[in-house]
Amino acid sequence: MATFLYRLGRFAFRRRHFVALFWVALLALAGAGAAGAPAAGNSSFSIPGTEAQKAFDLLEERFPGSSADGATARVVFKAPDGQKMTDAGNKATVQDTVDALAGGSEVARVTDPYQGGGLSQDGGIAYASVTYEVSGMELEETSREALETAAQDARDAGLTVEIGGDALQAVPETGTAEIIGIGIAAIVLVITLGSLLAAGLPLLTAIVGVGIGVASITALASTLDLGSTTSILASMIGLAVGIDYALFVVSRYRAELAEGREREEAAGRAVGTAGSAVVFAGLTVVIALVGLSVVNIPMLTKMGIAAAATVAIAVLIALTLIPALLGYAGRRVRPAGEKSKLLGGGRGGEQKAQRPNMGTRWASFVVRRPLAVLLLGVVGLGAAAIPAASLELGLPDDGSQPTSTTQRRGYDLLSEGFGPGFNGPLVVVVDAKDSDDPQAVFEQAGEEIKGLDNIVDVAPAQPNKAGDTATITVIPDAKPSSVTTEDLVHDIRDAGAGIKADTDAEVLVTGATAMNIDVSQKLNDALVPYLVLVVGLAFLLLIVVFRSILVPLKAALGFLLSVLAALGAVVAVYQWGWLSGLMGVEETGPIMSMMPIFMVGVVFGLAMDYEVFLVTRIREAYVHGEKPRQAVVTGFRYSARVVTAAAVIMMAVFAGFIGSSDSMVRMIGFGLAVAVLFDAFVVRMAIVPAVLALLGTKAWWLPKWLDRALPNVDVEGESLSAHGDPKDEDKELVRV
């Protein structure tokens, strides 16, 4: 592989006009597709194989025209102090609002608070439910504007009016913090590479790669039902790895220049060595992201594949566009150890280059005290992971929104007027098609549900036109995300099993709350198979890369430590409320159901990035004859500075998404930033050298039969050493 990539790097350097034109044309093509595509909305949400989804599908089949998948809104009214919603003036205002809402072109139906039981017991709060014919993703902006206008008119009449539901769910925004993250990345690049031009190359190529990826996602969003969150997460991951991959190639290029090689040769060797590490690091990230499909949640699968495609683009750009741009830059990109005059270069560079750098000093310290460093790192990460034992999973609802939003205020008003469980009603679907007396089954189901604990109200069964299926709305006495409500869902399902045994009727529970519970359970069940699949595939890949058993095993165990510690930090901040003010967390609660498995996938891929970049340099020194401990020091001398810079850049990029308006994006941004902190600086920079120092030559042990069976991918570029300093051979390669 090193030889192929070496030739690819030299080709891109020589044919830079062609390579640059190709990527610019691809960016323009993707941009044109995105410009002409419909705007992305909120992806449709389905959970195949769960009871909640089965009930939802049954509703669509047996209640045609009910718009079971349509967007919904709850318009909540509160009377001024000293008044009731039943007062004539307030009642007239509500009626005007209901009439205005009913006239919407996409509205399926609107319930009147005074006829549909939408009045609180004390008469101070009322609500009207609006159901639309289309999903929130398809809802036109004019419908949202009409909803807000109707609410504003009621406010002007003296009522407090708030709107809940998914009809007003906005496209997430990342805010200015993302720009700050990119700015920090630029500063780190300048410090690391010692040149404004060299620092600009990774930023430029990362932006090109993310531009192509996000534009392609936008162009396909409507066709493939990709939500707006998909492009944000793809840009988050693509930007971080794009900068890092380009940084490693540029750094290796400068190191090759420092050894006196010609620029084209240096570009070829940089792509042949660092580029090999980029390929395998990118493969681990792609495996982890595509592996999310085993969970069988379409939205999560699409997010993973879209992000994986963006990572693949970042790898290809690092292998081709970076050497092409290095060809354009010429002598303005200086050898390692030299800075541009603008940054104080040209004085004392030789003496400074001869002194041991920080990576050398740190590695020397670790190999002298490996056991102490190992124990300190493991104990520290173990302590950080303790909160993860209290992890509670759920999906966000209006109660997790900031208090400044109308959705959150509407949620609070409904809780005040009707109880906390009113925001998460359970919909029980009774399928009595195979029963002799469906009506009797409906009544029996209603009575058995009424006999359960933790229920405020059970509405009468509402049968369909055929009379073979009915819905029963159940109001819990606890908020949707509580353990009490989860227990109630299981109790209803247990009661349904008894009804099925007696009458052959099937009782299913659905609704947003039941969906959340089923998602959490499905993700919990999928976590272990996902880990086995992804870690197993990556373990095999790393055996091929490092030609070792213990090094990949150490890499996997280190990843588990860092991801558990990162989950502990997420629980401490977003569930327990530690540092919530600093992180902008207005409402603590359960952790997003998809967060652990998504974070496991992404963090595993990124952790293997640092493992590959760092350990390949160590193995390169070992392969070339150095003793194990000295190889660790040599590897750190050449790679510690770049790995540190890459980690800081990635943390800055991820932390920039903490300012997003979407709770899932905020949480994932924080979790990934903390995970990179733990993995890069504790696991890879401390635990890895300590373990390698303790293992010595055993770290690189591989059974002879396995060594013969494995392909030689030559990530270290050992085959390139045969070229020496091939000025004559360069000419021959050019002719070839």
Side-chain angles (χ1 to χ4, degrees):
M1 172 174 284
T3 303
F4 168 76
L5 293 178
Y6 165 80
R7 291 173 177 169
L8 178 63
R10 297 192 65 178
F11 170 82
F13 189 95
R14 288 195 311 272
R15 301 286 188 263
R16 46 188 172 272
H17 301 311
F18 169 77
V19 173
L21 182 62
F22 170 80
W23 285 110
V24 170
L26 194 59
L27 178 60
L29 184 63
N42 300 301
S43 177
S44 58
F45 192 75
S46 63
I47 319 129
T50 61
E51 179 174 316
Q53 186 64 44
K54 183 179 178 182
F56 184 83
D57 295 339
L58 187 64
L59 282 175
E60 289 192 313
E61 176 189 339
R62 302 285 176 83
F63 291 82
S66 62
S67 301
D69 62 343
T72 59
R74 276 181 170 176
V75 183
V76 190
F77 307 88
K78 183 177 182 181
D81 292 340
Q83 297 183 25
K84 302 285 186 182
M85 288 304 304
T86 51
D87 294 349
N90 295 336
K91 195 170 183 179
T93 300
V94 171
Q95 191 60 56
D96 290 342
T97 305
V98 169
D99 292 342
L101 292 171
S105 60
E106 295 180 305
V107 174
R109 60 185 175 276
V110 181
T111 61
D112 188 320
Y114 303 101
Q115 297 177 6
L119 189 66
S120 65
Q121 191 170 1
D122 64 2
I125 296 174
Y127 77 93
S129 292
V130 186
T131 304
Y132 292 88
E133 296 174 346
V134 296
S135 66
M137 178 176 160
E138 301 167 318
L139 197 63
E140 293 185 1
E141 191 61 32
T142 53
S143 296
R144 292 190 176 93
E145 291 173 356
L147 178 61
E148 293 175 325
T149 299
Q152 187 58 49
D153 290 343
R155 292 189 190 105
D156 294 340
L159 297 178
T160 298
V161 185
E162 305 296 347
I163 306 170
D166 62 353
L168 288 186
Q169 194 165 0
V171 174
E173 297 177 355
T174 55
T176 56
E178 182 185 355
I179 299 173
I180 296 173
I182 295 175
I184 294 173
I187 294 171
V188 173
L189 285 169
V190 171
I191 295 172
T192 304
L193 299 176
S195 164
L196 293 175
L197 179 62
L201 295 182
L203 279 177
L204 175 62
T205 55
I207 291 171
V208 170
V210 169
I212 293 172
V214 172
S216 301
I217 291 170
T218 303
L220 298 172
S222 180
T223 304
L224 301 180
D225 190 23
L226 303 176
S228 53
T229 305
T230 303
S231 60
I232 292 178
L233 294 176
S235 67
M236 178 196 300
I237 297 167
L239 190 62
V241 300
I243 294 174
D244 279 7
Y245 294 167
L247 170 62
F248 281 106
V249 175
V250 173
S251 298
R252 187 59 184 251
Y253 171 77
R254 296 178 70 234
E256 297 293 337
L257 289 179
E259 293 183 9
R261 291 189 169 86
E262 295 295 328
R263 293 186 177 274
E264 183 179 325
E265 172 67 12
R269 286 177 175 267
V271 175
T273 51
S276 297
V278 165
V279 169
F280 282 97
L283 271 177
T284 59
V285 180
V286 169
I287 288 172
L289 291 170
V290 174
L292 291 169
S293 58
V294 303
V295 183
N296 196 25
I297 294 180
M299 187 177 80
L300 193 60
T301 300
K302 292 171 186 175
M303 286 166 53
I305 292 175
T310 308
V311 171
I313 292 170
V315 171
L316 293 175
I317 282 180
L319 300 178
T320 56
L321 186 56
I322 280 291
L325 294 180
L326 288 172
Y328 283 117
R331 297 184 179 277
R332 285 169 290 183
V333 174
R334 296 171 178 270
E338 291 187 22
K339 292 184 179 180
S340 65
K341 293 181 179 180
L342 183 63
L343 296 172
R347 289 177 298 177
E350 222 175 286
Q351 292 86 346
K352 187 175 180 181
Q354 293 172 356
R355 294 201 304 266
N357 61 18
M358 182 64 74
T360 302
R361 293 195 294 271
W362 170 250
S364 300
F365 169 79
V366 173
V367 297
R368 286 198 305 270
R369 299 174 179 82
L371 189 59
V373 172
L374 176 62
L375 290 176
L376 184 62
V378 171
V379 171
L381 290 178
I386 290 174
S390 303
L391 177 69
E392 295 177 9
L393 298 179
L395 285 179
D397 54 20
D398 286 345
S400 62
Q401 297 272 4
T403 52
S404 58
T405 62
T406 185
Q407 292 96 327
R408 171 60 187 278
R409 292 195 294 264
Y411 180 98
D412 292 341
L413 283 178
L414 287 173
S415 296
E416 177 188 338
F418 302 91
F422 196 79
N423 282 294
L426 305 176
V427 180
V428 180
V429 183
V430 184
D431 180 8
K433 191 174 184 178
D434 297 329
S435 301
D436 297 331
D437 188 355
Q439 186 58 41
V441 173
F442 301 154
E443 293 175 1
Q444 178 185 348
E447 290 301 319
E448 292 206 20
I449 293 172
K450 285 180 182 177
L452 299 175
D453 296 330
N454 306 314
I455 291 177
V456 172
D457 184 50
V458 178
Q462 301 293 321
N464 62 350
K465 290 183 179 179
D468 59 3
T469 308
T471 60
I472 301 172
T473 302
V474 179
I475 307 298
D477 66 359
K479 64 181 182 179
S481 59
S482 68
V483 176
T484 303
T485 301
E486 182 177 349
D487 292 339
L488 175 59
V489 170
H490 294 308
D491 290 343
I492 295 174
R493 288 173 173 169
D494 291 340
I499 294 172
K500 182 175 177 62
D502 296 338
T503 65
D504 288 332
E506 194 166 17
V507 178
L508 306 170
V509 185
T510 188
T513 302
M515 283 275 193
N516 292 353
I517 293 169
D518 287 353
V519 167
S520 298
Q521 186 61 50
K522 190 176 181 74
L523 289 166
N524 280 336
D525 294 342
L527 186 57
V528 172
Y530 173 71
L531 275 172
V532 171
L533 173 68
V534 172
V535 176
L537 288 175
F539 181 77
L540 295 175
L541 183 65
L542 292 179
I543 288 178
V544 174
V545 172
F546 296 127
R547 308 194 77 77
S548 163
I549 298 293
L550 295 180
V551 170
L553 181 61
K554 163 198 60 69
L557 293 176
F559 149 73
L560 290 175
L561 273 175
S562 58
V563 79
L564 286 174
L567 279 174
V570 170
V571 170
V573 172
Y574 288 91
Q575 187 175 307
W576 291 359
W578 294 5
L579 302 177
S580 56
L582 182 63
M583 292 293 125
V585 180
E586 296 189 22
E587 184 71 20
T588 59
I591 303 304
M592 180 91 50
S593 296
M594 295 184 186
M595 175 69 182
I597 199 163
F598 187 83
M599 195 167 84
V600 162
V602 176
V603 172
F604 181 78
L606 300 180
M608 295 307 103
D609 272 6
Y610 297 121
E611 181 75 13
V612 169
F613 290 133
L614 188 61
V615 179
T616 48
R617 265 297 198 171
I618 296 173
R619 176 169 170 76
E620 185 176 342
Y622 178 76
V623 166
H624 286 92
E626 293 189 12
K627 292 183 178 180
R629 293 199 174 196
Q630 182 56 43
V632 171
V633 176
T634 301
F636 267 69
R637 180 169 71 247
Y638 288 115
S639 60
R641 177 183 176 90
V642 180
V643 169
T644 299
V648 172
I649 288 168
M650 200 170 279
M651 287 168 55
V653 172
F654 288 148
F657 287 85
I658 298 175
S660 171
S661 61
D662 185 273
S663 57
M664 182 169 74
V665 175
R666 285 200 306 270
M667 198 178 292
I668 289 177
F670 172 79
L672 293 181
V674 172
V676 170
L677 172 67
F678 289 150
D679 195 86
F681 293 103
V682 181
V683 175
R684 309 302 154 190
M685 302 295 282
I687 293 178
V688 164
V691 171
L692 290 177
L694 289 171
L695 290 175
T697 56
K698 295 177 183 177
W700 309 108
W701 171 80
L702 187 70
K704 291 183 179 179
W705 63 268
L706 185 56
D707 188 38
R708 290 192 298 269
L710 291 177
N712 184 11
V713 296
D714 189 22
V715 175
E716 299 84 12
E718 188 177 2
S719 61
L720 299 183
S721 62
H723 293 293
D725 194 2
K727 294 181 181 178
D728 295 332
E729 190 172 341
D730 287 352
K731 299 175 183 177
E732 183 180 342
L733 283 170
V734 170
R735 289 196 297 270
V736 172

